[in-house]
Amino acid sequence: TAHAKTRVLTNCFWPPQHYMCTQVLPTWGKWVKEATDGRVTIQIPPKSLASPPEQWGSVEKGIADAAVQFNGFVANRVTGPLVAMNPFVASADAPAMSEALWDTYQKFFADEYKGVHALSMWVITPAEVYSQNDTPINSIDDLKSRKIWALPGTVANLMKKVGVGVVAGPAVQANEVISRGVVDGHIGLSPVSIAAFQLGPYTKSMTQFKTRIYSTSFSFVMNEKKWAEISPEDQAAITAVSGAKFARMAAQFWVNGDKAALERFKSEWNIPVIQADEAFENALKAESKFLTAGWIKRANDKGIDGQGAYDFYVNRVAELSKF
Amino acid sequence: MQSVARAVLPRILSVLEAISAILLFTMMALTFVDVIGRYVFTAPVFGAAEMIQFLLAMTIFGGLSLINAHDSHITVELFEPWLQKRFPRLQPILVQTFSVGVMTIIAWQLTVFAIEAHEIGSFTVVLEWPLVVVAGTVAGLSVVSLIVQILGLFLLDDPEWRGDHGDPL
Amino acid sequence: MSTALIGFGILLLLCFFGFRVGFATLLVGLVGFALERGWSPALAMTGQQIMDDAMSYNLSVIPLFILMGVFIYRADLSKDLYTAAYSGLGRFRGGLALSTVVACAGFSAVSGSSVATAATMTRVAMGPMRKYKYHDSLSSGTIAAGGTLGIMIPPSVPLVIFGIVAEQDIGKLFIAGVLPGILLVALFMGAVAVVVRINPEAGPAGEPLDPEEARRAQRAVWPVLALFVLVLGGIYGKVFTPTEASGIGAVGAAAIAFMRGHLRSLTEWRDALVEATKTTATLFIVIFGALVFAQFINLSGLPYDLVDIVDNFELSGTQIVIFVMFIAILMGMVFESIGILLLLVPVFLPSLFAAGVDMIWFGILVVLVTELGLITPPIGMNVFVVRSVMPDIKLGHIFKGVVAFIVADVIALVLVFWLPEIATFLPKLME
Ligand code: NA
Ligand code: NA
């Protein structure tokens, strides 16, 4: 075709050495280049062009052409993708959750992404519950007696509801709080993040629920005008290597990361993994109902079939999950 | 205009000084109370870190108004004395126009940021306060910084008024 | 790559012609970014970047450490620190200069600023040194150089800024500064010894001190030591974050000032707080400018081009570090420390990472180089500070006086370069 070459400036807000910047986005770039016979290429700047909460905004304004947005920061813009961030909908199989989210997006809230083009969305490995003293966390009462660092949003709100003393903050500040003994437990990080934030030495045990307490979802979005510059033929080619394919590829990095981290739990830090009592899990689930109801209401207000999307996502995750 | 500036500016600045002093003091006190609360009473201040972040932004722009008014910004005084001798009128005009121009861009874009935060309905991450409250205050202080900077231009010929050039540690 | 270099060229010119450093850097960055991405993205990026950095938790240590320095400055400690040092060293040849170095080190341990250290020490130490007929070049040179200890011995604002630009742990950087700081004190004392050996008239010995006076002054050392141990120990033991340490440090400094009869009125508090706010703002406008400029550099491709150059020529980490040091020394001739850190480090960050350079070590090296910049001609901030307090000294005399200390600085640089453990040993113990 007569179309000129298009270069997509793709931002990566993680630290430059993170696999998102060194592997996931470059792999997608390779796929895009191959699928479009080199007509579309990507460029990743050496350092992030905007802070994590501002990724979507910076794509909208053309600061970058494409970027990844943690959906928790854009709850004011989109509600749909937060279905995956409801309490107790997660499994350990992040690629399965990712595909389920992409399917739910296409079926229930494809109209919600305004001002940007949604390339993909994915879910990372779930958060677990960690104790920082010798007693593993395995009951509501025990939880209540502690000070807990929690990821803002779902987890922090659930803990506040239960009556726990909460120190909340962005994941990147977790080390500041957790390593200094400010709290005696933390909730919101997956094992790979424990390793990445060097929290192994400060963590004594991990409690795992059958249905995981929480997971995090991301949107991969592109500037609408930039997307329109690309020929329909190349758009189709890019779509084929984005969506669920990209989502699974990205999520797999977290699965691999978790695996490696859990090895270090055993060999390096001596952190036992404990299965949660059913009573504990059920009690927390019951406490968390208000959060799910809140999400469904917000989705309904946005014109999304909230209950339908929630049920579809939960079933799809169960269907696709292999572990 | 010079007499107006001479009459008005010191009063505005004394209010701004008081505001900046209170902001920085609060920042110090909050950090201290949070640490003591944590170790002595096992009761940290929820969202202390985020409040400190907001106080920082406000302190900076409160302080910026004070240094803008006296033009006590950091400079590299390499050719400046030489230039000032050769172009005693032109050099300061160019430099000051430049400073005011850039400050206008800053105040304008911070205002745009605050308006957008309001339109999108952004909330702060931990405390879940409306972002516009914080961003709006910061933008407001940046506009004030611009206004006192322009007022200060009328007094810059007065060596008593003019500040030192920067205190870069 | 060429756009970035043109950008740097224009920026230097603007700065040399007297345009305010922060505003000039911001505008060049904005225009450069706009040429790559368009005007409205560039403007939006500027607003985002400023709002973001103004609200950065990590950067909040800066005003609090500045405030700590202001309180300490107002506590009038410098005279007692000087007298205490004099009681031990005064009777040696060059003893007053040696005392000055030690007192500077003590002041540096509770203040993050080299300017404050130099200014306060000029007021305290020039008088006695003149009384004993010290040559002005030795006394003023000692103070100008001793002042630079302020940014190597923790707490240090430049180390904080390096930590933020290079995404390194500020606590580790502070701990890393301890041994090089001690090394510098030793080398500066050596420099004094060499000068008075060559020219004994430059610094005669002082008279012994009245023991009562000495004891009184020595008592002032304890609160300083206690505050240093509290702040650094708290960071080292991970009892609190650097931001919290700065808050504790500021409160502690205020307490010391109060105990010594200062900060007893609202006006005094207000003056101190306003002074710290102003210094904070002066600094942040440069930081904002540099971060906008860094986004232009980020898009210009220069950092990746440098990575390619490193690859193509198979340069080692040490070779890049030497190259960066060389540029930093050149920049240090005219720029103050913060400008160098903010402009230079982001450009080389990817290639330094690619070459596997230890960034804590590198941070200490860069700060050593910027210390050098504070006393080298034509523009040496600390030399100017000493001069502004003592206008009757000729600038040339001070620059002549700092030569021995420049040599000492270079020796320190070479030592830390060849023996990275001087910087990395203590922070490694933290892990
Ligand atoms: Na210091
Ligand atoms: Na210099």
PDB file of all heavy atoms in Angstrom, chain C residues 171-191:
ATOM      1  N   GLY C 171      18.639   6.590  51.406  1.00  0.00           N
ATOM      2  CA  GLY C 171      19.265   6.163  52.649  1.00  0.00           C
ATOM      3  C   GLY C 171      20.648   5.577  52.391  1.00  0.00           C
ATOM      4  O   GLY C 171      21.630   5.928  53.048  1.00  0.00           O
ATOM      5  N   LYS C 172      20.736   4.699  51.382  1.00  0.00           N
ATOM      6  CA  LYS C 172      22.028   4.083  51.060  1.00  0.00           C
ATOM      7  C   LYS C 172      23.028   5.124  50.600  1.00  0.00           C
ATOM      8  O   LYS C 172      24.211   5.060  50.932  1.00  0.00           O
ATOM      9  CB  LYS C 172      21.841   3.046  49.945  1.00  0.00           C
ATOM     10  CG  LYS C 172      21.374   1.706  50.459  1.00  0.00           C
ATOM     11  CD  LYS C 172      21.409   0.689  49.350  1.00  0.00           C
ATOM     12  CE  LYS C 172      20.685  -0.565  49.782  1.00  0.00           C
ATOM     13  NZ  LYS C 172      20.367  -1.432  48.649  1.00  0.00           N
ATOM     14  N   LEU C 173      22.552   6.098  49.821  1.00  0.00           N
ATOM     15  CA  LEU C 173      23.464   7.146  49.346  1.00  0.00           C
ATOM     16  C   LEU C 173      24.029   7.940  50.516  1.00  0.00           C
ATOM     17  O   LEU C 173      25.221   8.268  50.533  1.00  0.00           O
ATOM     18  CB  LEU C 173      22.729   8.079  48.382  1.00  0.00           C
ATOM     19  CG  LEU C 173      22.519   7.529  46.975  1.00  0.00           C
ATOM     20  CD1 LEU C 173      21.484   8.355  46.224  1.00  0.00           C
ATOM     21  CD2 LEU C 173      23.824   7.512  46.200  1.00  0.00           C
ATOM     22  N   PHE C 174      23.176   8.244  51.489  1.00  0.00           N
ATOM     23  CA  PHE C 174      23.651   8.979  52.667  1.00  0.00           C
ATOM     24  C   PHE C 174      24.731   8.177  53.392  1.00  0.00           C
ATOM     25  O   PHE C 174      25.779   8.711  53.743  1.00  0.00           O
ATOM     26  CB  PHE C 174      22.489   9.243  53.631  1.00  0.00           C
ATOM     27  CG  PHE C 174      21.692  10.479  53.302  1.00  0.00           C
ATOM     28  CD1 PHE C 174      21.876  11.144  52.099  1.00  0.00           C
ATOM     29  CD2 PHE C 174      20.765  10.979  54.192  1.00  0.00           C
ATOM     30  CE1 PHE C 174      21.145  12.289  51.796  1.00  0.00           C
ATOM     31  CE2 PHE C 174      20.035  12.123  53.904  1.00  0.00           C
ATOM     32  CZ  PHE C 174      20.222  12.777  52.704  1.00  0.00           C
ATOM     33  N   ILE C 175      24.429   6.906  53.616  1.00  0.00           N
ATOM     34  CA  ILE C 175      25.394   6.071  54.337  1.00  0.00           C
ATOM     35  C   ILE C 175      26.688   5.980  53.522  1.00  0.00           C
ATOM     36  O   ILE C 175      27.793   6.003  54.080  1.00  0.00           O
ATOM     37  CB  ILE C 175      24.807   4.660  54.583  1.00  0.00           C
ATOM     38  CG1 ILE C 175      23.498   4.746  55.379  1.00  0.00           C
ATOM     39  CG2 ILE C 175      25.813   3.769  55.293  1.00  0.00           C
ATOM     40  CD1 ILE C 175      23.605   5.400  56.737  1.00  0.00           C
ATOM     41  N   ALA C 176      26.529   5.916  52.184  1.00  0.00           N
ATOM     42  CA  ALA C 176      27.710   5.827  51.322  1.00  0.00           C
ATOM     43  C   ALA C 176      28.575   7.076  51.424  1.00  0.00           C
ATOM     44  O   ALA C 176      29.782   7.018  51.177  1.00  0.00           O
ATOM     45  CB  ALA C 176      27.291   5.603  49.872  1.00  0.00           C
ATOM     46  N   GLY C 177      27.980   8.212  51.776  1.00  0.00           N
ATOM     47  CA  GLY C 177      28.737   9.460  51.850  1.00  0.00           C
ATOM     48  C   GLY C 177      29.617   9.573  53.084  1.00  0.00           C
ATOM     49  O   GLY C 177      30.495  10.439  53.142  1.00  0.00           O
ATOM     50  N   VAL C 178      29.402   8.692  54.067  1.00  0.00           N
ATOM     51  CA  VAL C 178      30.096   8.852  55.352  1.00  0.00           C
ATOM     52  C   VAL C 178      31.619   8.701  55.200  1.00  0.00           C
ATOM     53  O   VAL C 178      32.383   9.605  55.563  1.00  0.00           O
ATOM     54  CB  VAL C 178      29.555   7.857  56.404  1.00  0.00           C
ATOM     55  CG1 VAL C 178      30.404   7.904  57.663  1.00  0.00           C
ATOM     56  CG2 VAL C 178      28.103   8.183  56.737  1.00  0.00           C
ATOM     57  N   LEU C 179      32.052   7.549  54.644  1.00  0.00           N
ATOM     58  CA  LEU C 179      33.503   7.320  54.553  1.00  0.00           C
ATOM     59  C   LEU C 179      34.196   8.310  53.620  1.00  0.00           C
ATOM     60  O   LEU C 179      35.233   8.876  53.987  1.00  0.00           O
ATOM     61  CB  LEU C 179      33.791   5.868  54.138  1.00  0.00           C
ATOM     62  CG  LEU C 179      33.467   4.801  55.199  1.00  0.00           C
ATOM     63  CD1 LEU C 179      33.815   3.407  54.680  1.00  0.00           C
ATOM     64  CD2 LEU C 179      34.193   5.083  56.499  1.00  0.00           C
ATOM     65  N   PRO C 180      33.646   8.572  52.421  1.00  0.00           N
ATOM     66  CA  PRO C 180      34.287   9.602  51.582  1.00  0.00           C
ATOM     67  C   PRO C 180      34.328  10.949  52.287  1.00  0.00           C
ATOM     68  O   PRO C 180      35.307  11.706  52.127  1.00  0.00           O
ATOM     69  CB  PRO C 180      33.389   9.667  50.342  1.00  0.00           C
ATOM     70  CG  PRO C 180      32.723   8.336  50.286  1.00  0.00           C
ATOM     71  CD  PRO C 180      32.547   7.907  51.712  1.00  0.00           C
ATOM     72  N   GLY C 181      33.306  11.253  53.098  1.00  0.00           N
ATOM     73  CA  GLY C 181      33.312  12.502  53.849  1.00  0.00           C
ATOM     74  C   GLY C 181      34.489  12.547  54.813  1.00  0.00           C
ATOM     75  O   GLY C 181      35.219  13.543  54.884  1.00  0.00           O
ATOM     76  N   ILE C 182      34.685  11.439  55.543  1.00  0.00           N
ATOM     77  CA  ILE C 182      35.809  11.376  56.483  1.00  0.00           C
ATOM     78  C   ILE C 182      37.145  11.470  55.736  1.00  0.00           C
ATOM     79  O   ILE C 182      38.055  12.184  56.146  1.00  0.00           O
ATOM     80  CB  ILE C 182      35.739  10.069  57.318  1.00  0.00           C
ATOM     81  CG1 ILE C 182      34.481  10.113  58.210  1.00  0.00           C
ATOM     82  CG2 ILE C 182      37.000   9.883  58.146  1.00  0.00           C
ATOM     83  CD1 ILE C 182      34.186   8.811  58.918  1.00  0.00           C
ATOM     84  N   LEU C 183      37.198  10.780  54.598  1.00  0.00           N
ATOM     85  CA  LEU C 183      38.401  10.826  53.765  1.00  0.00           C
ATOM     86  C   LEU C 183      38.721  12.262  53.362  1.00  0.00           C
ATOM     87  O   LEU C 183      39.872  12.713  53.433  1.00  0.00           O
ATOM     88  CB  LEU C 183      38.196   9.949  52.524  1.00  0.00           C
ATOM     89  CG  LEU C 183      39.309   9.984  51.472  1.00  0.00           C
ATOM     90  CD1 LEU C 183      40.557   9.307  51.995  1.00  0.00           C
ATOM     91  CD2 LEU C 183      38.862   9.319  50.175  1.00  0.00           C
ATOM     92  N   LEU C 184      37.686  12.993  52.951  1.00  0.00           N
ATOM     93  CA  LEU C 184      37.887  14.382  52.536  1.00  0.00           C
ATOM     94  C   LEU C 184      38.393  15.238  53.695  1.00  0.00           C
ATOM     95  O   LEU C 184      39.271  16.082  53.507  1.00  0.00           O
ATOM     96  CB  LEU C 184      36.580  14.968  52.019  1.00  0.00           C
ATOM     97  CG  LEU C 184      36.300  14.829  50.527  1.00  0.00           C
ATOM     98  CD1 LEU C 184      34.942  15.427  50.200  1.00  0.00           C
ATOM     99  CD2 LEU C 184      37.382  15.535  49.717  1.00  0.00           C
ATOM    100  N   VAL C 185      37.831  15.015  54.880  1.00  0.00           N
ATOM    101  CA  VAL C 185      38.286  15.778  56.039  1.00  0.00           C
ATOM    102  C   VAL C 185      39.778  15.545  56.243  1.00  0.00           C
ATOM    103  O   VAL C 185      40.558  16.494  56.408  1.00  0.00           O
ATOM    104  CB  VAL C 185      37.497  15.369  57.303  1.00  0.00           C
ATOM    105  CG1 VAL C 185      38.083  16.034  58.535  1.00  0.00           C
ATOM    106  CG2 VAL C 185      36.021  15.751  57.165  1.00  0.00           C
ATOM    107  N   ALA C 186      40.185  14.268  56.165  1.00  0.00           N
ATOM    108  CA  ALA C 186      41.605  13.937  56.346  1.00  0.00           C
ATOM    109  C   ALA C 186      42.451  14.611  55.269  1.00  0.00           C
ATOM    110  O   ALA C 186      43.507  15.195  55.563  1.00  0.00           O
ATOM    111  CB  ALA C 186      41.791  12.427  56.316  1.00  0.00           C
ATOM    112  N   LEU C 187      41.982  14.542  54.025  1.00  0.00           N
ATOM    113  CA  LEU C 187      42.768  15.123  52.931  1.00  0.00           C
ATOM    114  C   LEU C 187      42.836  16.646  53.029  1.00  0.00           C
ATOM    115  O   LEU C 187      43.882  17.244  52.749  1.00  0.00           O
ATOM    116  CB  LEU C 187      42.170  14.700  51.579  1.00  0.00           C
ATOM    117  CG  LEU C 187      42.438  13.246  51.185  1.00  0.00           C
ATOM    118  CD1 LEU C 187      41.562  12.837  50.010  1.00  0.00           C
ATOM    119  CD2 LEU C 187      43.911  13.066  50.815  1.00  0.00           C
ATOM    120  N   PHE C 188      41.730  17.268  53.425  1.00  0.00           N
ATOM    121  CA  PHE C 188      41.741  18.724  53.592  1.00  0.00           C
ATOM    122  C   PHE C 188      42.715  19.121  54.696  1.00  0.00           C
ATOM    123  O   PHE C 188      43.432  20.110  54.589  1.00  0.00           O
ATOM    124  CB  PHE C 188      40.333  19.248  53.906  1.00  0.00           C
ATOM    125  CG  PHE C 188      39.426  19.325  52.702  1.00  0.00           C
ATOM    126  CD1 PHE C 188      38.091  19.712  52.838  1.00  0.00           C
ATOM    127  CD2 PHE C 188      39.890  19.025  51.434  1.00  0.00           C
ATOM    128  CE1 PHE C 188      37.250  19.795  51.732  1.00  0.00           C
ATOM    129  CE2 PHE C 188      39.046  19.097  50.318  1.00  0.00           C
ATOM    130  CZ  PHE C 188      37.731  19.483  50.480  1.00  0.00           C
ATOM    131  N   MET C 189      42.733  18.327  55.783  1.00  0.00           N
ATOM    132  CA  MET C 189      43.688  18.627  56.862  1.00  0.00           C
ATOM    133  C   MET C 189      45.109  18.441  56.358  1.00  0.00           C
ATOM    134  O   MET C 189      46.002  19.237  56.682  1.00  0.00           O
ATOM    135  CB  MET C 189      43.401  17.739  58.074  1.00  0.00           C
ATOM    136  CG  MET C 189      42.088  18.107  58.764  1.00  0.00           C
ATOM    137  SD  MET C 189      41.629  17.008  60.114  1.00  0.00           S
ATOM    138  CE  MET C 189      42.649  17.649  61.411  1.00  0.00           C
ATOM    139  N   GLY C 190      45.276  17.404  55.510  1.00  0.00           N
ATOM    140  CA  GLY C 190      46.587  17.190  54.888  1.00  0.00           C
ATOM    141  C   GLY C 190      46.982  18.386  54.027  1.00  0.00           C
ATOM    142  O   GLY C 190      48.142  18.825  54.040  1.00  0.00           O
ATOM    143  N   ALA C 191      45.989  18.923  53.296  1.00  0.00           N
ATOM    144  CA  ALA C 191      46.264  20.070  52.422  1.00  0.00           C
ATOM    145  C   ALA C 191      46.745  21.257  53.251  1.00  0.00           C
ATOM    146  O   ALA C 191      47.713  21.941  52.885  1.00  0.00           O
ATOM    147  CB  ALA C 191      45.014  20.437  51.619  1.00  0.00           C
TER     148      ALA C 191
END
